[in-house]
Amino acid sequence: MTMQISVSPSHNIDGTLILPLFEGTDLVPEAHATGLHVALKAQINRVLADGDFKGKAKSTMTLVGSEGGKAMLVGLGKEDDADAHAYRKAGAAVVAARKKTHGTDLTVRFAGADVESMGAFAEGMLLRDYSYDEYKMQKEEDKEAERNVRITCDEGQEEELEALVSIYAGVASGVHLSRDLGNCPPNDMYPEAFSDMAWEWAKQYENVEVTIINYEHAIKAGMGGLVAVGMGSSRKPCMVIFEMNKELPGRCPLLVGKGITFDTGGISLKPGANMDEMKYDMGGSATVFGTMQALASTGYEGKVVAITCMAENMPAANAQRPGDVITTLSGKTIEVLNTDAEGRLVLSDGLWKAGEFDPEFIIDFATLTGACVVALGHEATGLWSNDDDFRSKIHDAGNAVDELAWPMPLLPAFEKEMTDSKIADTRNLGAGRYGGANTAAAFLKQFVPNRNYDEDGEQITWAHMDIAGTYWGAKTNTMVGNGATGIHVRTMYHLITNWNN
Ligand code: BES
Ligand code: ZN
Ligand code: ZN
């Protein structure tokens, strides 16, 4: 978070020299060796010739020169496969491997990489430069120290690379904000804490406005889903609306986030094991807040709206019960058969509210179902949409930034299963356990408004992203140490900034 990356064609080496190498390199390239202590150069050549360092993707080796100087070799994998992802992962691997003995300054030298690859390497460094130690007396030792990283480029590449690095730094600040929100313990991250943060945050940007719909207002407005989920907690629910460049004409992207700051399950109480992880149940709201930060800090000039549905799901004397029937903002009634299927209840109001902004499209993010984790593990987000082309665009945007989102089916049969209530318009639980992520998606679809709320009109283009498995616990993700991943801030940045291209 304190990493400063600069760019220059200078041959000076400040601090540790970082050398990204392809698999099979057996001699340090001349371009890499300029200004390096002769002894250290010989040491590097020895480990390369002996095969002690093979250049495998994400591998690193630190060498301390016997006559001075320090170098870290980092593997880029096979040269033929060396795309932006390989460079990004290598950059992250450097930050992950670096101990405080490496000093704070780093000089990165590529042997003939293009601007895009060098930028991706910088992006990986920025993304991995994160730790959450707000609650530790002893902060990570070098956290406060400014980390200076200099990327050595060719003459003439400077300007383009600098611009790229500055965008990546802004986007990384959005990812880090999302992680901060997700990692924050639930005694300090409750609906009003989130809305206070959003309010304070918006003050730094002239083109962003935050509106908070508090508990009383939500009751009056008829947000029966949000109210029912949140009423059992002493920390009352709210809806937070972010609007960027709202005065611009035309339709814009609209993001909706599930923001359950703690999910006990409510009266349908969850088992105790790992319940602490349910602090991440506001990951969807963190994703959309982080995306707004990424867009605002990089000076995005388009219009965007985000809606977060914040509530704490607690068992209490005044909590909702299984069997309750609630009336949502849409007017549709829901039979609540399980209070642990609460995400879909708060989202029913968020999705319906979205229609007021006449958006170009709606994407919701939610740590919605354990069933999605069963289906896709921690490797891919579940992705549903009422529009095949739109779903492909999101899938492609995820692939472009290495945040995978996998297409899942939105079938009428699942929707039918959810509307089969004897006493209400719909129910919040499927008939059985199977296909739980799909029935949840089908449930949400019922609350995606038609354009201008016209009964006979067309439904607004919408996608649902279940991040239950990908917002936390992604052990194979090089960009993340532990805890909240901050996934899909980068996907959304990519999708939104490329939307009209
Ligand atoms: N927040 C959970 C889903 C979840 C599970 C997120 C594991 C992250 C990791 C959600 O509110 C929930 O409890 N869903 C239930 C739905 C069921 C009652 C239909 C589930 O998945 O079991
Ligand atoms: Zn739940
Ligand atoms: Zn939940």
Side-chain angles (χ1 to χ4, degrees), residues 258 260 263 265 270 277-278 281 313 338 340-344 367-371 373 428-430 436 466-469 472:
K258 167 178 172 181
I260 302 300
D263 183 11
K270 284 183 181 296
E277 284 173 358
M278 282 302 115
D281 213 21
N313 189 20
N338 188 318
D340 195 13
E342 84 299 337
R344 59 197 78 182
T367 47
L368 200 64
T369 64
V373 193
N428 80 333
L429 199 63
D466 193 332
I467 55 173
W472 61 281

PDB file of all heavy atoms in Angstrom, residues 258 260 263 265 270 277-278 281 313 338 340-344 367-371 373 428-430 436 466-469 472, ligand 1:
ATOM      1  N   LYS A 258     -24.409  -7.622  -2.403  1.00  0.00           N
ATOM      2  CA  LYS A 258     -24.926  -8.183  -1.148  1.00  0.00           C
ATOM      3  C   LYS A 258     -23.982  -7.748  -0.033  1.00  0.00           C
ATOM      4  O   LYS A 258     -22.781  -7.969  -0.107  1.00  0.00           O
ATOM      5  CB  LYS A 258     -24.975  -9.715  -1.233  1.00  0.00           C
ATOM      6  CG  LYS A 258     -25.205 -10.409   0.132  1.00  0.00           C
ATOM      7  CD  LYS A 258     -25.291 -11.931   0.014  1.00  0.00           C
ATOM      8  CE  LYS A 258     -25.332 -12.594   1.395  1.00  0.00           C
ATOM      9  NZ  LYS A 258     -25.382 -14.068   1.340  1.00  0.00           N
ATOM     10  N   ILE A 260     -24.074  -8.485   3.644  1.00  0.00           N
ATOM     11  CA  ILE A 260     -24.409  -9.023   4.963  1.00  0.00           C
ATOM     12  C   ILE A 260     -23.131  -8.973   5.807  1.00  0.00           C
ATOM     13  O   ILE A 260     -22.191  -9.740   5.582  1.00  0.00           O
ATOM     14  CB  ILE A 260     -24.971 -10.467   4.859  1.00  0.00           C
ATOM     15  CG1 ILE A 260     -26.212 -10.491   3.963  1.00  0.00           C
ATOM     16  CG2 ILE A 260     -25.291 -11.008   6.260  1.00  0.00           C
ATOM     17  CD1 ILE A 260     -27.387  -9.626   4.430  1.00  0.00           C
ATOM     18  N   ASP A 263     -23.303 -13.125   8.831  1.00  0.00           N
ATOM     19  CA  ASP A 263     -24.417 -14.031   8.554  1.00  0.00           C
ATOM     20  C   ASP A 263     -24.388 -15.212   9.528  1.00  0.00           C
ATOM     21  O   ASP A 263     -23.667 -16.182   9.327  1.00  0.00           O
ATOM     22  CB  ASP A 263     -24.319 -14.529   7.098  1.00  0.00           C
ATOM     23  CG  ASP A 263     -25.500 -15.427   6.716  1.00  0.00           C
ATOM     24  OD1 ASP A 263     -26.476 -15.487   7.494  1.00  0.00           O
ATOM     25  OD2 ASP A 263     -25.441 -16.048   5.632  1.00  0.00           O
ATOM     26  N   GLY A 265     -27.016 -16.875   9.982  1.00  0.00           N
ATOM     27  CA  GLY A 265     -28.111 -17.708   9.502  1.00  0.00           C
ATOM     28  C   GLY A 265     -29.447 -17.212  10.052  1.00  0.00           C
ATOM     29  O   GLY A 265     -30.497 -17.538   9.530  1.00  0.00           O
ATOM     30  N   LYS A 270     -26.749 -21.113  11.643  1.00  0.00           N
ATOM     31  CA  LYS A 270     -25.696 -21.922  11.021  1.00  0.00           C
ATOM     32  C   LYS A 270     -24.987 -22.743  12.096  1.00  0.00           C
ATOM     33  O   LYS A 270     -24.951 -22.338  13.253  1.00  0.00           O
ATOM     34  CB  LYS A 270     -24.648 -20.993  10.378  1.00  0.00           C
ATOM     35  CG  LYS A 270     -25.066 -20.365   9.074  1.00  0.00           C
ATOM     36  CD  LYS A 270     -23.914 -19.544   8.517  1.00  0.00           C
ATOM     37  CE  LYS A 270     -24.300 -18.875   7.213  1.00  0.00           C
ATOM     38  NZ  LYS A 270     -24.608 -19.799   6.120  1.00  0.00           N
ATOM     39  N   GLU A 277     -16.073 -17.005   9.302  1.00  0.00           N
ATOM     40  CA  GLU A 277     -15.882 -16.647   7.887  1.00  0.00           C
ATOM     41  C   GLU A 277     -17.065 -15.849   7.334  1.00  0.00           C
ATOM     42  O   GLU A 277     -16.956 -15.218   6.281  1.00  0.00           O
ATOM     43  CB  GLU A 277     -15.683 -17.916   7.043  1.00  0.00           C
ATOM     44  CG  GLU A 277     -14.283 -18.483   7.234  1.00  0.00           C
ATOM     45  CD  GLU A 277     -14.076 -19.827   6.554  1.00  0.00           C
ATOM     46  OE1 GLU A 277     -15.036 -20.359   5.961  1.00  0.00           O
ATOM     47  OE2 GLU A 277     -12.959 -20.334   6.642  1.00  0.00           O
ATOM     48  N   MET A 278     -18.169 -15.902   8.032  1.00  0.00           N
ATOM     49  CA  MET A 278     -19.360 -15.192   7.531  1.00  0.00           C
ATOM     50  C   MET A 278     -19.242 -13.672   7.666  1.00  0.00           C
ATOM     51  O   MET A 278     -20.153 -12.929   7.321  1.00  0.00           O
ATOM     52  CB  MET A 278     -20.625 -15.721   8.192  1.00  0.00           C
ATOM     53  CG  MET A 278     -21.057 -17.045   7.590  1.00  0.00           C
ATOM     54  SD  MET A 278     -21.349 -16.917   5.801  1.00  0.00           S
ATOM     55  CE  MET A 278     -20.092 -17.981   5.153  1.00  0.00           C
ATOM     56  N   ASP A 281     -19.452 -12.065   4.249  1.00  0.00           N
ATOM     57  CA  ASP A 281     -20.730 -12.119   3.540  1.00  0.00           C
ATOM     58  C   ASP A 281     -21.165 -10.750   3.010  1.00  0.00           C
ATOM     59  O   ASP A 281     -22.222 -10.613   2.412  1.00  0.00           O
ATOM     60  CB  ASP A 281     -21.799 -12.729   4.460  1.00  0.00           C
ATOM     61  CG  ASP A 281     -22.814 -13.542   3.684  1.00  0.00           C
ATOM     62  OD1 ASP A 281     -22.492 -13.967   2.562  1.00  0.00           O
ATOM     63  OD2 ASP A 281     -23.931 -13.736   4.198  1.00  0.00           O
ATOM     64  N   ASN A 313     -27.372 -10.393   9.761  1.00  0.00           N
ATOM     65  CA  ASN A 313     -28.387 -11.445   9.909  1.00  0.00           C
ATOM     66  C   ASN A 313     -28.224 -12.143  11.263  1.00  0.00           C
ATOM     67  O   ASN A 313     -27.347 -12.979  11.424  1.00  0.00           O
ATOM     68  CB  ASN A 313     -28.229 -12.449   8.757  1.00  0.00           C
ATOM     69  CG  ASN A 313     -29.368 -13.452   8.682  1.00  0.00           C
ATOM     70  OD1 ASN A 313     -30.460 -13.213   9.220  1.00  0.00           O
ATOM     71  ND2 ASN A 313     -29.131 -14.565   8.019  1.00  0.00           N
ATOM     72  N   ASN A 338     -36.351 -20.258   5.000  1.00  0.00           N
ATOM     73  CA  ASN A 338     -35.082 -20.435   5.701  1.00  0.00           C
ATOM     74  C   ASN A 338     -34.438 -19.056   5.838  1.00  0.00           C
ATOM     75  O   ASN A 338     -34.163 -18.386   4.836  1.00  0.00           O
ATOM     76  CB  ASN A 338     -34.182 -21.383   4.885  1.00  0.00           C
ATOM     77  CG  ASN A 338     -32.932 -21.771   5.641  1.00  0.00           C
ATOM     78  OD1 ASN A 338     -32.304 -20.930   6.290  1.00  0.00           O
ATOM     79  ND2 ASN A 338     -32.560 -23.037   5.562  1.00  0.00           N
ATOM     80  N   ASP A 340     -31.577 -18.334   6.614  1.00  0.00           N
ATOM     81  CA  ASP A 340     -30.178 -18.309   6.185  1.00  0.00           C
ATOM     82  C   ASP A 340     -30.056 -18.019   4.686  1.00  0.00           C
ATOM     83  O   ASP A 340     -28.970 -17.729   4.193  1.00  0.00           O
ATOM     84  CB  ASP A 340     -29.511 -19.649   6.538  1.00  0.00           C
ATOM     85  CG  ASP A 340     -27.993 -19.576   6.474  1.00  0.00           C
ATOM     86  OD1 ASP A 340     -27.466 -18.452   6.399  1.00  0.00           O
ATOM     87  OD2 ASP A 340     -27.349 -20.644   6.509  1.00  0.00           O
ATOM     88  N   ALA A 341     -31.163 -18.108   3.972  1.00  0.00           N
ATOM     89  CA  ALA A 341     -31.142 -17.707   2.548  1.00  0.00           C
ATOM     90  C   ALA A 341     -31.542 -16.236   2.502  1.00  0.00           C
ATOM     91  O   ALA A 341     -32.575 -15.850   1.934  1.00  0.00           O
ATOM     92  CB  ALA A 341     -32.083 -18.580   1.737  1.00  0.00           C
ATOM     93  N   GLU A 342     -30.724 -15.404   3.156  1.00  0.00           N
ATOM     94  CA  GLU A 342     -31.049 -13.985   3.369  1.00  0.00           C
ATOM     95  C   GLU A 342     -30.512 -13.074   2.272  1.00  0.00           C
ATOM     96  O   GLU A 342     -31.060 -12.003   2.039  1.00  0.00           O
ATOM     97  CB  GLU A 342     -30.526 -13.520   4.739  1.00  0.00           C
ATOM     98  CG  GLU A 342     -29.050 -13.100   4.786  1.00  0.00           C
ATOM     99  CD  GLU A 342     -28.069 -14.199   4.431  1.00  0.00           C
ATOM    100  OE1 GLU A 342     -28.446 -15.377   4.566  1.00  0.00           O
ATOM    101  OE2 GLU A 342     -26.944 -13.904   4.000  1.00  0.00           O
ATOM    102  N   GLY A 343     -29.431 -13.521   1.611  1.00  0.00           N
ATOM    103  CA  GLY A 343     -28.818 -12.659   0.594  1.00  0.00           C
ATOM    104  C   GLY A 343     -29.814 -12.311  -0.490  1.00  0.00           C
ATOM    105  O   GLY A 343     -29.940 -11.165  -0.916  1.00  0.00           O
ATOM    106  N   ARG A 344     -30.562 -13.319  -0.916  1.00  0.00           N
ATOM    107  CA  ARG A 344     -31.536 -13.116  -1.996  1.00  0.00           C
ATOM    108  C   ARG A 344     -32.662 -12.182  -1.555  1.00  0.00           C
ATOM    109  O   ARG A 344     -33.278 -11.522  -2.390  1.00  0.00           O
ATOM    110  CB  ARG A 344     -32.068 -14.477  -2.471  1.00  0.00           C
ATOM    111  CG  ARG A 344     -32.737 -15.287  -1.411  1.00  0.00           C
ATOM    112  CD  ARG A 344     -32.880 -16.754  -1.780  1.00  0.00           C
ATOM    113  NE  ARG A 344     -31.627 -17.504  -1.626  1.00  0.00           N
ATOM    114  CZ  ARG A 344     -31.473 -18.784  -1.924  1.00  0.00           C
ATOM    115  NH1 ARG A 344     -32.484 -19.482  -2.394  1.00  0.00           N
ATOM    116  NH2 ARG A 344     -30.309 -19.390  -1.760  1.00  0.00           N
ATOM    117  N   THR A 367     -21.939 -13.187  -2.140  1.00  0.00           N
ATOM    118  CA  THR A 367     -21.477 -14.450  -1.557  1.00  0.00           C
ATOM    119  C   THR A 367     -22.765 -15.197  -1.227  1.00  0.00           C
ATOM    120  O   THR A 367     -23.185 -15.266  -0.079  1.00  0.00           O
ATOM    121  CB  THR A 367     -20.654 -14.180  -0.286  1.00  0.00           C
ATOM    122  OG1 THR A 367     -21.387 -13.233   0.519  1.00  0.00           O
ATOM    123  CG2 THR A 367     -19.287 -13.608  -0.603  1.00  0.00           C
ATOM    124  N   LEU A 368     -23.402 -15.726  -2.282  1.00  0.00           N
ATOM    125  CA  LEU A 368     -24.807 -16.107  -2.140  1.00  0.00           C
ATOM    126  C   LEU A 368     -25.038 -17.518  -1.633  1.00  0.00           C
ATOM    127  O   LEU A 368     -25.910 -17.729  -0.788  1.00  0.00           O
ATOM    128  CB  LEU A 368     -25.539 -15.892  -3.474  1.00  0.00           C
ATOM    129  CG  LEU A 368     -27.057 -15.779  -3.351  1.00  0.00           C
ATOM    130  CD1 LEU A 368     -27.456 -14.542  -2.553  1.00  0.00           C
ATOM    131  CD2 LEU A 368     -27.723 -15.727  -4.714  1.00  0.00           C
ATOM    132  N   THR A 369     -24.284 -18.498  -2.167  1.00  0.00           N
ATOM    133  CA  THR A 369     -24.602 -19.882  -1.794  1.00  0.00           C
ATOM    134  C   THR A 369     -23.374 -20.759  -1.543  1.00  0.00           C
ATOM    135  O   THR A 369     -22.364 -20.672  -2.259  1.00  0.00           O
ATOM    136  CB  THR A 369     -25.417 -20.578  -2.919  1.00  0.00           C
ATOM    137  OG1 THR A 369     -24.619 -20.675  -4.103  1.00  0.00           O
ATOM    138  CG2 THR A 369     -26.712 -19.846  -3.208  1.00  0.00           C
ATOM    139  N   GLY A 370     -23.508 -21.629  -0.539  1.00  0.00           N
ATOM    140  CA  GLY A 370     -22.498 -22.664  -0.317  1.00  0.00           C
ATOM    141  C   GLY A 370     -22.475 -23.600  -1.521  1.00  0.00           C
ATOM    142  O   GLY A 370     -21.428 -24.159  -1.868  1.00  0.00           O
ATOM    143  N   ALA A 371     -23.620 -23.745  -2.179  1.00  0.00           N
ATOM    144  CA  ALA A 371     -23.712 -24.640  -3.337  1.00  0.00           C
ATOM    145  C   ALA A 371     -22.794 -24.195  -4.472  1.00  0.00           C
ATOM    146  O   ALA A 371     -22.275 -25.021  -5.227  1.00  0.00           O
ATOM    147  CB  ALA A 371     -25.158 -24.703  -3.828  1.00  0.00           C
ATOM    148  N   VAL A 373     -19.898 -22.811  -4.017  1.00  0.00           N
ATOM    149  CA  VAL A 373     -18.548 -23.234  -3.612  1.00  0.00           C
ATOM    150  C   VAL A 373     -18.374 -24.727  -3.910  1.00  0.00           C
ATOM    151  O   VAL A 373     -17.317 -25.172  -4.341  1.00  0.00           O
ATOM    152  CB  VAL A 373     -18.278 -22.946  -2.112  1.00  0.00           C
ATOM    153  CG1 VAL A 373     -16.795 -23.103  -1.807  1.00  0.00           C
ATOM    154  CG2 VAL A 373     -18.761 -21.556  -1.715  1.00  0.00           C
ATOM    155  N   ASN A 428     -38.149 -18.465  -0.659  1.00  0.00           N
ATOM    156  CA  ASN A 428     -36.704 -18.220  -0.720  1.00  0.00           C
ATOM    157  C   ASN A 428     -35.867 -19.482  -0.645  1.00  0.00           C
ATOM    158  O   ASN A 428     -34.660 -19.422  -0.463  1.00  0.00           O
ATOM    159  CB  ASN A 428     -36.269 -17.209   0.358  1.00  0.00           C
ATOM    160  CG  ASN A 428     -36.127 -17.827   1.735  1.00  0.00           C
ATOM    161  OD1 ASN A 428     -36.785 -18.833   2.038  1.00  0.00           O
ATOM    162  ND2 ASN A 428     -35.283 -17.238   2.570  1.00  0.00           N
ATOM    163  N   LEU A 429     -36.519 -20.639  -0.814  1.00  0.00           N
ATOM    164  CA  LEU A 429     -35.803 -21.910  -0.714  1.00  0.00           C
ATOM    165  C   LEU A 429     -36.259 -22.824  -1.836  1.00  0.00           C
ATOM    166  O   LEU A 429     -37.450 -22.882  -2.152  1.00  0.00           O
ATOM    167  CB  LEU A 429     -36.158 -22.548   0.642  1.00  0.00           C
ATOM    168  CG  LEU A 429     -35.240 -23.630   1.190  1.00  0.00           C
ATOM    169  CD1 LEU A 429     -33.853 -23.079   1.465  1.00  0.00           C
ATOM    170  CD2 LEU A 429     -35.837 -24.201   2.487  1.00  0.00           C
ATOM    171  N   GLY A 430     -35.287 -23.550  -2.430  1.00  0.00           N
ATOM    172  CA  GLY A 430     -35.651 -24.517  -3.463  1.00  0.00           C
ATOM    173  C   GLY A 430     -36.316 -25.737  -2.834  1.00  0.00           C
ATOM    174  O   GLY A 430     -36.432 -25.828  -1.614  1.00  0.00           O
ATOM    175  N   GLY A 436     -28.499 -25.721  -5.799  1.00  0.00           N
ATOM    176  CA  GLY A 436     -28.784 -24.570  -4.927  1.00  0.00           C
ATOM    177  C   GLY A 436     -28.283 -23.223  -5.454  1.00  0.00           C
ATOM    178  O   GLY A 436     -28.900 -22.190  -5.198  1.00  0.00           O
ATOM    179  N   ASP A 466     -21.975 -15.122  -8.329  1.00  0.00           N
ATOM    180  CA  ASP A 466     -21.903 -15.708  -6.980  1.00  0.00           C
ATOM    181  C   ASP A 466     -20.430 -15.872  -6.613  1.00  0.00           C
ATOM    182  O   ASP A 466     -19.727 -16.740  -7.138  1.00  0.00           O
ATOM    183  CB  ASP A 466     -22.644 -17.052  -6.949  1.00  0.00           C
ATOM    184  CG  ASP A 466     -22.865 -17.550  -5.520  1.00  0.00           C
ATOM    185  OD1 ASP A 466     -22.054 -17.199  -4.628  1.00  0.00           O
ATOM    186  OD2 ASP A 466     -23.844 -18.307  -5.282  1.00  0.00           O
ATOM    187  N   ILE A 467     -19.967 -15.022  -5.695  1.00  0.00           N
ATOM    188  CA  ILE A 467     -18.547 -14.992  -5.325  1.00  0.00           C
ATOM    189  C   ILE A 467     -18.289 -15.677  -3.980  1.00  0.00           C
ATOM    190  O   ILE A 467     -17.269 -15.433  -3.332  1.00  0.00           O
ATOM    191  CB  ILE A 467     -18.011 -13.532  -5.299  1.00  0.00           C
ATOM    192  CG1 ILE A 467     -18.870 -12.645  -4.381  1.00  0.00           C
ATOM    193  CG2 ILE A 467     -17.967 -12.951  -6.705  1.00  0.00           C
ATOM    194  CD1 ILE A 467     -18.298 -11.235  -4.181  1.00  0.00           C
ATOM    195  N   ALA A 468     -19.227 -16.564  -3.577  1.00  0.00           N
ATOM    196  CA  ALA A 468     -19.072 -17.230  -2.269  1.00  0.00           C
ATOM    197  C   ALA A 468     -17.729 -17.956  -2.159  1.00  0.00           C
ATOM    198  O   ALA A 468     -17.111 -17.973  -1.100  1.00  0.00           O
ATOM    199  CB  ALA A 468     -20.225 -18.206  -2.040  1.00  0.00           C
ATOM    200  N   GLY A 469     -17.272 -18.544  -3.262  1.00  0.00           N
ATOM    201  CA  GLY A 469     -16.014 -19.291  -3.214  1.00  0.00           C
ATOM    202  C   GLY A 469     -14.791 -18.459  -3.575  1.00  0.00           C
ATOM    203  O   GLY A 469     -13.667 -18.803  -3.209  1.00  0.00           O
ATOM    204  N   TRP A 472     -12.997 -15.212  -0.871  1.00  0.00           N
ATOM    205  CA  TRP A 472     -12.089 -15.564   0.231  1.00  0.00           C
ATOM    206  C   TRP A 472     -11.543 -16.967  -0.044  1.00  0.00           C
ATOM    207  O   TRP A 472     -12.077 -17.711  -0.854  1.00  0.00           O
ATOM    208  CB  TRP A 472     -12.841 -15.561   1.580  1.00  0.00           C
ATOM    209  CG  TRP A 472     -13.961 -16.567   1.595  1.00  0.00           C
ATOM    210  CD1 TRP A 472     -15.189 -16.419   1.032  1.00  0.00           C
ATOM    211  CD2 TRP A 472     -13.929 -17.898   2.118  1.00  0.00           C
ATOM    212  NE1 TRP A 472     -15.922 -17.561   1.183  1.00  0.00           N
ATOM    213  CE2 TRP A 472     -15.189 -18.484   1.861  1.00  0.00           C
ATOM    214  CE3 TRP A 472     -12.965 -18.627   2.814  1.00  0.00           C
ATOM    215  CZ2 TRP A 472     -15.504 -19.787   2.247  1.00  0.00           C
ATOM    216  CZ3 TRP A 472     -13.291 -19.929   3.200  1.00  0.00           C
ATOM    217  CH2 TRP A 472     -14.557 -20.482   2.915  1.00  0.00           C
TER     218      TRP A 472
HETATM  219  N1  BES B   1     -23.704 -16.496   3.051  1.00  0.00           N
HETATM  220  C1  BES B   1     -24.215 -17.774   2.767  1.00  0.00           C
HETATM  221  C2  BES B   1     -23.518 -18.458   1.604  1.00  0.00           C
HETATM  222  C3  BES B   1     -22.065 -18.804   1.784  1.00  0.00           C
HETATM  223  C4  BES B   1     -21.699 -20.070   2.183  1.00  0.00           C
HETATM  224  C5  BES B   1     -21.100 -17.886   1.479  1.00  0.00           C
HETATM  225  C6  BES B   1     -20.363 -20.393   2.312  1.00  0.00           C
HETATM  226  C7  BES B   1     -19.760 -18.213   1.624  1.00  0.00           C
HETATM  227  C8  BES B   1     -19.402 -19.462   2.023  1.00  0.00           C
HETATM  228  C9  BES B   1     -25.696 -17.693   2.421  1.00  0.00           C
HETATM  229  O1  BES B   1     -26.406 -16.664   3.002  1.00  0.00           O
HETATM  230  C10 BES B   1     -26.327 -18.958   2.854  1.00  0.00           C
HETATM  231  O2  BES B   1     -26.257 -19.258   4.003  1.00  0.00           O
HETATM  232  N2  BES B   1     -26.879 -19.686   1.902  1.00  0.00           N
HETATM  233  C11 BES B   1     -27.500 -20.934   2.177  1.00  0.00           C
HETATM  234  C12 BES B   1     -28.729 -21.026   1.327  1.00  0.00           C
HETATM  235  C13 BES B   1     -29.630 -22.165   1.663  1.00  0.00           C
HETATM  236  C14 BES B   1     -30.225 -21.983   3.032  1.00  0.00           C
HETATM  237  C15 BES B   1     -30.683 -22.247   0.609  1.00  0.00           C
HETATM  238  C16 BES B   1     -26.506 -22.040   1.821  1.00  0.00           C
HETATM  239  O3  BES B   1     -25.738 -21.871   0.881  1.00  0.00           O
HETATM  240  O4  BES B   1     -26.495 -23.041   2.514  1.00  0.00           O
END
